[in-house]
Amino acid sequence: DLEVGYTRRGWRAEERHVLGKLGVLQRNASSSGRLLDQSEKGDKADIVLSISGSTTGGKQHSTMTMTSTDEKLILWSKEFVQSDGTQSDLEEAIAFAAAQVLSCANEVSSGKHGGLDANARRIYLNACSSAADVGWDTTQLVPMFRAVLKDAPTFRPAWSRLLLAEIGKFQVASGLDQATDQIKLDLQRDIAAARKVDSKMPEATIAEIEMTPSMPIARGISLLYEAKALEPDNPTVLGTRSLVL
């Protein structure tokens, strides 16, 4: 389990709700971890989340930074600015982005899928953070995950996230009646490469279903049930299965 410490600098009282929201997101996520207050003596976290806050021009500004405890490296940092939304909206945006990055940090630190060097790790965590902002159009995420895989071609989580980003890119291009032939060729190539890393990768199955509109619905449902049996808590599998049903 990834142990995450946190510190606070210049927080207003209500900003502390971010930790509560983050804790809820982490409890509901498939990855495991533990949030530690850095003031707790005797606990040494694997990474530390630092949040600082200030008010400029009547708007709340918050910066979250993730630092590696052992290497003393800044792994990820992002600034959040309160726009026209409420304070709660800002807190949710911070917590959601942090949860995305922590999920990816857990994938890296577990060692289950191999490791990433410092540069690839930064790119991977930034891509995960960006995924919290881009919505349906995931086009910009594709080159980021490709850059990670160039350095770590067998890192399974990057393959699964790349395929999902390419699915989003394909859906957007199809909806805008843009040329999709090259996108499909790239996706087919990456499905084959991902299958070499994990022949039963659920995201590869979802990509194949997405690219094959002529596939009988019963066949698609059968494939999704097989994927669910392999990864029963995979949110993408569950979401796709619901849409197909």
Side-chain angles (χ1 to χ4, degrees):
D1 290 357
L2 185 69
E3 293 195 338
V4 183
Y6 59 85
T7 60
R8 303 180 291 272
R9 300 191 307 275
W11 272 24
R12 300 191 319 190
E14 61 266 34
E15 285 187 291
R16 298 182 184 181
H17 297 160
V18 170
L19 289 177
K21 295 176 186 291
L22 178 56
V24 170
L25 286 171
Q26 285 297 100
R27 285 196 299 273
N28 292 330
S30 57
S31 61
S32 57
R34 187 160 69 113
L35 281 171
L36 305 172
D37 191 323
Q38 284 298 90
S39 64
E40 296 178 16
K41 294 181 179 180
D43 277 320
K44 181 183 178 182
D46 301 304
I47 59 177
V48 175
L49 286 177
S50 300
I51 297 183
S52 60
S54 63
T55 302
T56 305
K59 292 185 177 181
Q60 180 70 16
H61 294 245
S62 296
T63 300
M64 177 170 280
T65 302
M66 178 185 290
T67 307
S68 169
T69 304
D70 292 334
E71 300 166 291
K72 307 299 182 184
L73 294 175
I74 294 178
L75 303 176
W76 169 74
S77 182
K78 185 173 182 178
E79 182 178 3
F80 301 84
V81 181
Q82 183 179 1
S83 55
D84 296 331
T86 64
Q87 178 69 25
S88 180
D89 291 334
L90 177 62
E91 294 167 0
E92 289 183 0
I94 296 172
F96 187 66
Q100 291 278 87
V101 175
L102 286 174
S103 177
C104 289
N106 192 57
E107 292 169 350
V108 176
S109 67
S110 70
K112 181 180 178 181
H113 309 288
L116 298 177
D117 63 27
N119 183 58
R121 183 170 49 181
R122 288 194 191 96
I123 297 173
Y124 189 60
L125 296 181
N126 278 308
C128 291
S129 171
S130 298
D133 301 323
V134 298
W136 284 102
D137 191 353
T138 53
T139 302
Q140 71 183 65
L141 302 179
V142 173
M144 300 174 76
F145 289 122
R146 285 197 192 284
V148 174
L149 290 166
K150 183 178 180 180
D151 288 340
T154 61
F155 189 64
R156 183 191 182 283
W159 278 113
S160 63
R161 293 179 185 275
L162 171 63
L163 293 179
L164 294 179
E166 288 185 278
I167 290 170
K169 180 179 179 180
F170 174 71
Q171 290 173 335
V172 169
S174 299
L176 297 175
D177 292 326
Q178 296 175 347
T180 58
D181 289 346
Q182 186 59 51
I183 297 175
K184 289 181 69 173
L185 287 174
D186 291 341
L187 187 48
Q188 288 170 344
R189 179 197 63 201
D190 289 333
I191 289 172
R195 292 269 191 218
K196 291 181 180 179
V197 175
D198 179 357
S199 62
K200 297 182 179 180
M201 186 180 294
E203 289 79 8
T205 298
I206 292 171
E208 289 169 342
I209 293 172
E210 181 64 34
M211 284 199 314
T212 315
S214 60
M215 180 182 293
I217 292 178
R219 173 59 177 163
I221 292 175
S222 176
L223 290 174
L224 288 169
Y225 270 94
E226 291 176 10
K228 181 178 180 294
L230 291 171
E231 295 188 15
D233 296 322
N234 187 315
T236 305
V237 172
L238 297 175
T240 304
R241 187 187 65 147
S242 296
L243 287 173
V244 172
L245 289 174

